[in-house]
Amino acid sequence: MERAALLRSSLSCTNRAFFSFRPPSIPFFRFSRSSSSSSSSSALRTHRHRPILRPSSGRPLRRTSLLPLPAASTHFATRFSSLSTRAVATPLTPSPSEFSGVSDEVAERLGFEKVSEEFIGECKSKALLFKHKKTGAQVISVSNDDENKVFGIVFRTPPNDSTGIPHILEHSVLCGSRKYPLKEPFVELLKGSLNTFLNAFTYPDRTCYPVASTNSKDFYNLVDVYLDAVFFPKCVEDFQTFQQEGWHYELNDPSEDISYKGVVFNEMKGVYSQPDNILGRIAQQALFPDNTYGVDSGGDPKVIPKLTYEEFKEFHRKYYHPSNARIWFYGDDDPTERLRILSEYLDMFDGSSAPNESRVQTQKLFSEPVRISETYPAGEGGDLKKKDMVCINWLLSEKPLDLETELALGFLDHLMLGTPASPLRKILLESGLGEAIIGGGVEDELLQPQFSIGLKGVSQDDIQKVEELVMSTLKKLADEGFDTAAVEASMNTIEFSLRENNTGSFPRGLSLMLRSMGKWIYDMDPFQPLKYEKPLLALKARLEQEGSKAVFSPLIEKFILNNPHRVVVEMQPDPEKASRDEAAEKEILEKVKAGMTEEDLAELARATQELKLKQETPDPPEALRSVPSLSLRDIPKEPILVPTEVGDISGVKVLQHDLFTNDVLYTEVVFNMSSLKQELLPLVPLFCQSLLEMGTKDLSFVQLNQLIGRKTGGISVYPLTSSVRGKEDACSHIIVRGKAMAGRADDLFHLINCILQEVQFTDQQRFKQFVSQSKARMENRLRGSGHGIAAARMDAKLNVAGWISEQMGGFSYLEFLQALEEKVDNDWERISSSLEEIRKSLLSREGCLINMTAEGKNLTNSQKFVGKFLDLLPRKSSLAATTWNARLPSTNEAIVIPTQVNYVGKAANIYDTGYQLNGSAYVISKYISNTWLWDRVRVSGGAYGGFCDFDSHSGVFSFLSYRDPNLLKTLDIYDGTGEFLRQLDMDEETLTKSIIGTIGDVDSYQLPDAKGYSSLMRYLLGVSDEERKMRREEILSTSLKDFKEFSNAIDAVKDKGVAVAVASPDDVDAAQKERSNLFEVKKAL
């Protein structure tokens, strides 16, 4: 949430940044981890937002998406963080009559039957369930006053093998359709829409196509493109789309080797390079050997090439039918118009047997446990002694659970694993048997719920000990129950989260849709997951009357301890696995080539060139014009301003934002890091974690954690670093971020003071755990988000702020952690005193800043508590300001990891060429990402993503690719960008689309807390409202001439840029041979 305030609606996917994610789609009985006091110890915040994400302790559901989902790495939106803000608040509860419905008569005339109608107080909405009479398509229409309108269409798509049909189809249907006969209307929407969300997801048993926008005209454009895409896609008639998105043999010349290419093929190669992902897939398939969850809907790279085009077409015919669809509308638009749009499509179809054929079958429970042992790819020459993984997994029930049981299980899950102080999590980490938790706790998004828990970074000799510890801890919890304070803290955390309904920049309507779909897709009540008030009250009453032990102990015993449907998955590192898999693939391809005649090879080479030509040939203007778009008249000329009052309390600047927040107070306390010694920078993330996860003189860390959970909505601490345009020195701060009900402002500021001033850095063993956990997270990030590592590394070579950030969250930080593990044992006293020194250098009123967002009366009432907090701070820092003037050497680097895909970056500072910032740069860089890089790196090159980023604060322009089968070819594409711009010919309509899409990024949708946070960032970076107005005018007046002129600036990347690749050993070796010693090579993992 901390980073989302500055990003483009963070899951809008108008931008290309990528990570495996779980959107806030969980039903109300499944609660997020670490919500009571998230330390964000690994979450370095830079203003460009390439932080290391605080990973969920839960294992993500095996879900894939059309676009890589935004994370913390470089992406387009970051360029607008200082320009954008739009806020929306949850309104006061309206009466049901305030929202218009659809009369039975109108529904009948449009071909629908109203099944049910409810007012759902929890989301202040009128919800209607319709059934399309002709096809049986089900529609939920949710009406309220949320301007962020959401549409989604979902099909049940259970696969029967691991060829990845649902995933490849999810990519392919958005590559042109009956009404929109161009290569990729989806990309045209990316270029020129005001969408706040645009993507698609493949689950193990369903495929979702959601869109969102605050602009009604734009919203209905998006809806129409998506409906035409799913029902009438070109891909079922166009074999080349199947080849491009799925898989094909590639042969450039008959004398060369054949290779596999395809966007999904390479995406899944990346997935199967990550140990955590491999383990998750193995566990799911072992838990469900007899139904659709026993295969991989995303596709196994070894199996994907077995998929035929005929099977692909048949899957669409069978499942992409209105009879098999669940359709969702949400927001403040006209509910009658929703049905009118749907009827135009649905009336073209008759009924189908698809609902019967797509029904997911139940997995029967085992009579005895199962054990599986597998390997994962590891680097050669590394220490493999403590690199095993073990996860224990249970399938909890054969039949759907009742609502009360589901809620109680979700609560139990939070109690056991939800915070650092939760007993199962704490005991496992404190055991020293492993480095980090794996397994997602309770997972309930599929037909049958599961529970998983384990450790990674385990010695092979300790595997059995981990299993025994899990079982004995669960038995102890069943026998003894939970601490009363822990139950109270969990209840407050859960209630606060439900009532706040803060989904970040993920549209609330989409969060509700995915929540509802968890029941609806299995023919259960779709409204049930949205209504939490009554079951929550019932659970609270039961806890009060019977006690927590009576509620939770039977659940632990029945569903876990006495449940024989248990699968233990062990995974060992195998340094030869990656090369063995590559050799096996090569052998298959050699046999394929050996079985071909000369004519066959010539034909394959011709087909390869034909596909590339199609991919690189622009759509004709008449096809482009078919995609509906807005005009500049639809775009507000003025930026949306944030109410900000700058005041002073106890000599400290205080920013206040008077916004409706539903009685929640959001605050940030900002400290200047400028007096911190350079050598202490890598310790800062661990310092942040220590503040929230070590105890005080009077409180253990468990008690402190529970106090935060009982009194607040959460506190986090993290570093933030950015360049400031026109200045050499970096903007570098520690931010303490907290939220609470306004009536608990005193508690909130008291607890912030407590963690800052009273926490003691004395617990050596806990600190050692922090180091191990951070190291495990960084290693996982290197494999799964290598583009983020490459981006941080390039920044560190180009400016001081980048160097600082990389010390606290890049490859240098990983190297620091690896060395620190031994030092904790040998030199703890020095480390402890260094942590104390960091505190002394930070804590003072001098350079402190307070930011608050709430209703005016609550801001006024909170001021006395702010004053009390500030009076307890030292007036000045005991240490003098220091200067950080370091950068990494400007050499090209290759960081070698065991992977089947690459992450390739190249960057330079274009301000060094004399370029002066103009708003047109935002339009141009977005256009480059959505055309040149999309077509060459993703479509033709086969990478999952390719994009560029311009950091207007530092002047760094960077190119990055994600899950890329190429290395040198991608660098050559980057170097060709300047020439692409010089040769560019663009009509007025295309230019207008690009401008509108850019404004969509600038006017990103934000909830009130994010709005206040964005205002804080602009204040810290010196970005005024006048500058925002000027940049907006420059964006709106962008011309083709600006594109041509920018080509000279971007040539700096080709001529003077630094390249960093996180890549496989084979690809780096090949690159070094082809271009003699292009890279300085570093081995990792």
Side-chain angles (χ1 to χ4, degrees):
M1 190 47 239
E2 289 77 15
R3 62 190 174 278
L6 293 184
L7 296 182
R8 168 78 170 104
S9 184
S10 93
L11 297 178
S12 72
C13 291
T14 315
N15 319 302
R16 311 233 203 288
F18 322 96
F19 79 127
S20 168
F21 95 125
R22 171 191 294 283
S25 62
I26 49 179
F28 63 84
F29 42 81
R30 170 82 167 87
F31 308 107
S32 59
R33 307 266 183 255
S34 299
S35 50
S36 62
S37 61
S38 54
S39 70
S40 301
S41 61
S42 61
L44 169 69
R45 267 63 171 192
T46 68
H47 191 60
R48 295 191 63 185
H49 287 272
R50 291 185 180 134
I52 292 99
L53 290 169
R54 182 179 70 248
S56 161
S57 62
R59 185 180 72 226
L61 187 70
R62 266 67 61 198
R63 179 199 292 117
T64 57
S65 62
L66 171 68
L67 276 183
L69 292 149
S73 71
T74 332
H75 49 282
F76 190 75
T78 57
R79 298 190 294 278
F80 303 107
S81 52
S82 59
L83 301 178
S84 65
T85 182
R86 172 189 292 168
V88 64
T90 307
L92 296 169
T93 306
S95 67
S97 60
E98 284 184 38
F99 301 125
S100 59
V102 180
S103 70
D104 291 357
E105 183 185 338
V106 170
E108 287 280 335
R109 193 174 72 245
L110 292 170
F112 292 91
E113 170 194 348
K114 190 189 292 183
V115 179
S116 64
E117 178 176 340
E118 293 194 38
F119 181 78
I120 301 176
E122 288 84 345
C123 54
K124 306 173 181 65
S125 305
K126 180 184 280 188
L128 294 91
L129 175 62
F130 295 99
K131 187 172 185 179
H132 185 246
K133 290 189 286 187
K134 191 177 176 192
T135 63
Q138 298 177 51
V139 181
I140 286 182
S141 180
V142 180
S143 296
N144 51 43
D145 61 1
D146 189 344
E147 64 169 343
N148 200 9
K149 292 164 275 291
V150 174
F151 162 81
I153 182 163
V154 181
F155 301 96
R156 266 200 315 238
T157 51
N160 56 19
D161 58 36
S162 295
T163 55
I165 297 188
H167 186 190
I168 296 168
L169 197 53
E170 172 229 299
H171 279 240
S172 302
V173 298
L174 291 163
C175 294
S177 64
R178 176 198 59 170
K179 284 170 70 173
Y180 308 109
L182 60 162
K183 287 191 297 184
E184 295 191 89
F186 179 80
V187 180
E188 292 307 305
L189 296 176
L190 288 178
K191 291 176 190 173
S193 163
L194 296 176
N195 73 82
T196 57
F197 191 93
L198 185 70
N199 209 338
F201 317 135
T202 301
Y203 285 72
D205 58 7
R206 58 196 181 269
T207 308
C208 306
Y209 294 90
V211 297
S213 179
T214 56
N215 181 291
S216 295
K217 183 178 174 184
D218 186 52
F219 177 63
Y220 289 129
N221 289 345
L222 297 170
V223 170
D224 197 61
V225 172
Y226 263 46
L227 283 170
D228 205 63
V230 297
F231 289 129
F232 303 106
K234 275 171 48 183
C235 66
V236 294
E237 299 161 359
D238 181 9
F239 179 52
Q240 287 180 320
T241 297
F242 167 77
Q243 291 180 304
Q244 171 184 295
E245 297 299 320
W247 77 276
H248 64 276
Y249 294 122
E250 182 166 286
L251 183 65
N252 294 309
D253 184 277
S255 64
E256 295 178 2
D257 291 336
I258 294 175
S259 62
Y260 288 125
K261 280 288 171 70
V263 174
V264 168
F265 178 78
N266 283 307
E267 177 191 344
M268 297 312 294
K269 268 198 157 186
V271 168
Y272 276 77
S273 294
Q274 293 174 254
D276 289 36
N277 281 332
I278 297 169
L279 185 141
R281 281 167 158 74
I282 291 168
Q284 179 185 293
Q285 291 169 31
L287 280 174
F288 297 96
D290 305 320
N291 71 2
T292 191
Y293 306 142
V295 299
D296 190 346
S297 65
D300 181 336
K302 292 177 181 174
V303 186
I304 289 172
K306 295 178 182 175
L307 177 62
T308 68
Y309 186 48
E310 286 65 35
E311 290 169 330
F312 171 83
K313 291 190 292 184
E314 174 59 18
F315 197 88
H316 179 272
R317 187 203 63 76
K318 189 173 180 181
Y319 293 131
Y320 277 60
H321 190 280
S323 303
N324 193 41
R326 273 88 173 152
I327 302 169
W328 171 277
F329 275 99
Y330 166 99
D332 64 359
D333 59 313
D334 179 4
T336 302
E337 179 64 9
R338 299 169 176 177
L339 295 187
R340 189 197 64 74
I341 291 168
L342 289 178
S343 67
E344 287 184 6
Y345 280 92
L346 303 183
D347 287 349
M348 295 187 223
F349 294 85
D350 294 315
S352 151
S353 60
N356 295 324
E357 296 175 45
S358 68
R359 194 165 284 124
V360 179
Q361 300 304 310
T362 300
Q363 170 66 53
K364 294 195 181 305
L365 295 185
F366 298 163
S367 57
E368 56 185 38
V370 171
R371 187 173 205 90
I372 291 174
S373 184
E374 289 282 352
T375 61
Y376 69 86
E380 293 182 13
D383 182 6
L384 304 179
K385 285 178 191 169
K386 283 196 72 173
K387 291 294 179 184
D388 282 35
M389 306 169 76
V390 58
C391 190
I392 313 169
N393 312 270
W394 286 266
L395 184 60
L396 300 185
S397 173
E398 199 167 298
K399 294 178 181 175
L401 301 174
D402 61 76
L403 187 59
E404 186 182 339
T405 304
E406 282 186 325
L407 177 62
L409 272 173
F411 201 107
L412 172 64
D413 181 52
H414 190 269
L415 274 170
M416 293 195 298
L417 292 166
T419 75
S422 297
L424 184 54
R425 178 168 162 181
K426 177 175 176 286
I427 287 167
L428 281 172
L429 289 173
E430 287 182 352
S431 69
L433 294 173
E435 292 178 343
I437 296 282
I438 52 174
V442 172
E443 298 281 357
D444 50 19
E445 287 188 284
L446 301 181
L447 178 61
Q448 294 164 267
Q450 311 146 60
F451 180 78
S452 304
I453 186 65
L455 284 173
K456 64 179 175 181
V458 178
S459 164
Q460 196 160 8
D461 296 339
D462 290 336
I463 294 283
Q464 194 64 41
K465 292 178 188 172
V466 173
E467 292 176 54
E468 289 168 359
L469 183 60
V470 167
M471 300 303 284
S472 63
T473 304
L474 288 166
K475 186 169 189 319
K476 186 178 179 186
L477 290 172
D479 291 343
E480 298 177 9
F482 293 89
D483 180 69
T484 305
V487 175
E488 187 185 329
S490 273
M491 182 58 76
N492 181 69
T493 297
I494 288 161
E495 278 202 90
F496 186 98
S497 175
L498 289 169
R499 299 194 195 290
E500 182 194 24
N501 190 25
N502 192 331
T503 57
S505 46
F506 195 90
R508 280 173 166 161
L510 180 52
S511 174
L512 291 172
M513 181 191 101
L514 297 177
R515 206 186 277 182
S516 173
M517 209 59 66
K519 296 294 178 189
W520 194 14
I521 203 76
Y522 305 119
D523 303 313
M524 293 184 259
D525 180 0
F527 296 144
Q528 177 197 295
L530 310 181
K531 299 183 288 190
Y532 61 79
E533 289 282 6
K534 283 184 181 175
L536 190 61
L537 283 171
L539 178 63
K540 287 173 78 171
R542 199 176 153 213
L543 286 168
E544 201 166 313
Q545 290 162 15
E546 302 175 30
S548 63
K549 187 180 176 188
V551 173
F552 299 121
S553 294
L555 297 179
I556 297 173
E557 288 166 356
K558 177 182 177 181
F559 291 110
I560 303 177
L561 292 175
N562 301 329
N563 179 1
H565 195 115
R566 183 171 80 240
V567 174
V568 179
V569 180
E570 285 182 50
M571 283 190 22
Q572 291 89 35
D574 182 350
E576 296 173 5
K577 180 173 172 55
S579 56
R580 206 164 51 240
D581 289 346
E582 288 292 332
E585 182 181 297
K586 191 175 179 183
E587 186 181 343
I588 290 169
L589 290 168
E590 283 172 353
K591 285 180 182 175
V592 168
K593 187 174 182 183
M596 288 184 169
T597 64
E598 285 186 16
E599 290 78 13
D600 292 336
L601 293 170
E603 173 56 26
L604 180 55
R606 187 201 63 74
T608 299
Q609 294 310 311
E610 186 180 290
L611 178 59
K612 285 188 176 178
L613 180 64
K614 179 189 173 184
Q615 290 168 333
E616 295 172 9
T617 302
D619 286 301
E622 60 273 16
L624 291 171
R625 279 194 289 271
S626 71
V627 177
S629 62
L630 303 175
S631 72
L632 289 179
R633 289 190 303 275
D634 299 311
I635 305 302
K637 295 290 183 283
E638 295 290 320
I640 299 157
L641 302 179
V642 188
T644 304
E645 182 184 321
V646 183
D648 184 288
I649 299 176
S650 300
V652 170
K653 271 206 170 62
V654 178
L655 310 186
Q656 297 183 93
H657 311 288
D658 183 354
L659 295 167
F660 178 76
T661 60
N662 230 5
D663 219 28
V664 176
L665 170 70
Y666 298 97
T667 190
E668 288 81 30
V669 183
V670 183
F671 295 101
N672 198 321
M673 280 172 55
S674 62
S675 59
L676 190 64
K677 287 180 186 171
Q678 189 165 300
E679 62 268 23
L680 294 180
L681 285 170
L683 266 179
V684 166
L686 293 162
F687 165 80
C688 294
Q689 184 171 5
S690 299
L691 288 178
L692 284 166
E693 296 188 36
M694 284 195 182
T696 69
K697 181 182 174 186
D698 300 317
L699 295 169
S700 70
F701 106 85
V702 171
Q703 291 169 319
L704 178 59
N705 203 274
Q706 289 171 350
L707 202 55
I708 291 169
R710 281 159 50 204
K711 304 289 188 183
T712 78
I715 298 173
S716 57
V717 189
Y718 54 89
L720 180 140
T721 303
S722 173
S723 294
V724 180
R725 189 159 45 84
K727 294 184 180 179
E728 183 63 30
D729 291 340
C731 164
S732 201
H733 299 276
I734 293 286
I735 296 183
V736 183
R737 195 164 196 207
K739 58 187 175 183
M741 299 310 296
R744 288 212 155 147
D746 192 11
D747 289 324
L748 178 61
F749 283 102
H750 169 73
L751 283 164
I752 290 174
N753 180 71
C754 180
I755 65 169
L756 288 172
Q757 302 220 57
E758 296 177 24
V759 164
Q760 298 182 323
F761 305 121
T762 54
D763 194 331
Q764 181 179 0
Q765 287 311 306
R766 275 201 66 70
F767 188 82
K768 191 172 182 182
Q769 288 168 37
F770 302 162
V771 176
S772 295
Q773 291 164 33
S774 299
K775 183 167 74 77
R777 279 194 292 261
M778 285 300 302
E779 288 174 349
N780 198 47
R781 184 169 180 254
L782 193 58
R783 289 174 183 266
S785 301
H787 61 299
I789 298 291
R793 197 78 177 167
M794 293 187 299
D795 261 3
K797 295 168 182 287
L798 296 169
N799 60 76
V800 175
W803 179 84
I804 296 167
S805 299
E806 211 267 343
Q807 290 293 305
M808 296 189 288
F811 186 66
S812 295
Y813 183 53
L814 175 59
E815 292 179 316
F816 168 79
L817 291 168
Q818 288 167 337
L820 185 63
E821 270 193 310
E822 286 185 23
K823 291 180 184 173
V824 178
D825 289 327
N826 304 328
D827 203 2
W828 168 241
E829 200 170 307
R830 182 182 294 183
I831 293 168
S832 178
S833 64
S834 294
L835 293 170
E836 200 59 62
E837 188 177 339
I838 293 173
R839 171 154 53 193
K840 284 179 184 172
S841 73
L842 291 172
L843 292 194
S844 76
R845 277 177 264 167
E846 190 176 42
C848 180
L849 179 70
I850 304 285
N851 190 60
M852 294 195 292
T853 305
E855 291 89 347
K857 68 178 191 304
N858 290 330
L859 291 171
T860 302
N861 293 339
S862 299
Q863 288 175 6
K864 57 181 175 288
F865 306 122
V866 174
K868 194 196 304 185
F869 165 76
L870 291 172
D871 288 343
L872 293 170
L873 288 176
R875 188 174 294 277
K876 289 189 172 185
S877 171
S878 58
L879 300 170
T882 186
T883 302
W884 304 318
N885 191 19
R887 298 185 191 192
L888 292 179
S890 297
T891 52
N892 298 329
E893 282 185 320
I895 299 170
V896 176
I897 62 170
T899 181
Q900 299 180 64
V901 290
N902 306 316
Y903 306 88
V904 184
K906 192 170 185 182
N909 190 324
I910 63 172
Y911 288 165
D912 290 347
T913 70
Y915 175 76
Q916 297 291 311
L917 176 62
N918 185 285
S920 61
Y922 306 138
V923 182
I924 296 163
S925 52
K926 180 179 176 75
Y927 185 82
I928 292 168
S929 279
N930 285 336
T931 55
W932 174 248
L933 297 176
W934 178 279
D935 290 339
R936 301 300 170 114
V937 177
R938 175 173 166 132
V939 174
S940 178
Y944 189 21
F947 53 98
C948 64
D949 172 70
F950 175 43
D951 177 4
S952 59
H953 304 291
S954 69
V956 172
F957 193 101
S958 50
F959 295 98
L960 288 163
S961 71
Y962 181 79
R963 292 183 183 165
D964 189 347
N966 306 306
L967 202 168
L968 294 180
K969 283 181 185 175
T970 299
L971 289 174
D972 290 342
I973 291 166
Y974 299 160
D975 287 348
T977 306
E979 192 58 31
F980 162 73
L981 291 177
R982 276 186 280 275
Q983 300 296 323
L984 185 63
D985 187 20
M986 182 190 296
D987 60 27
E988 198 62 34
E989 202 169 322
T990 303
L991 179 60
T992 298
K993 273 186 185 176
S994 299
I995 291 170
I996 290 169
T998 304
I999 291 293
D1001 289 326
V1002 171
D1003 289 349
S1004 59
Y1005 179 82
Q1006 293 184 327
L1007 297 174
D1009 64 315
K1011 186 178 184 185
Y1013 189 77
S1014 291
S1015 184
L1016 167 66
M1017 292 299 105
R1018 285 195 290 271
Y1019 185 87
L1020 291 173
L1021 296 169
V1023 178
S1024 66
D1025 285 339
E1026 288 69 30
E1027 181 181 348
R1028 294 174 63 218
K1029 288 177 185 176
M1030 180 176 75
R1031 298 296 170 219
R1032 190 181 189 89
E1033 288 166 6
E1034 291 168 350
I1035 289 168
L1036 290 168
S1037 60
T1038 298
S1039 67
L1040 181 58
K1041 182 168 172 276
D1042 294 315
F1043 280 75
K1044 305 282 186 182
E1045 290 176 353
F1046 196 73
S1047 64
N1048 298 322
I1050 215 169
D1051 277 344
V1053 184
K1054 177 181 76 172
D1055 300 332
K1056 300 176 182 175
V1058 290
V1060 175
V1062 177
S1064 71
D1066 289 350
D1067 286 341
V1068 171
D1069 287 346
Q1072 293 291 75
K1073 287 172 186 170
E1074 189 172 331
R1075 296 184 193 171
S1076 182
N1077 298 320
L1078 173 65
F1079 294 110
E1080 182 180 308
V1081 179
K1082 289 182 175 291
K1083 277 199 170 184
L1085 308 183

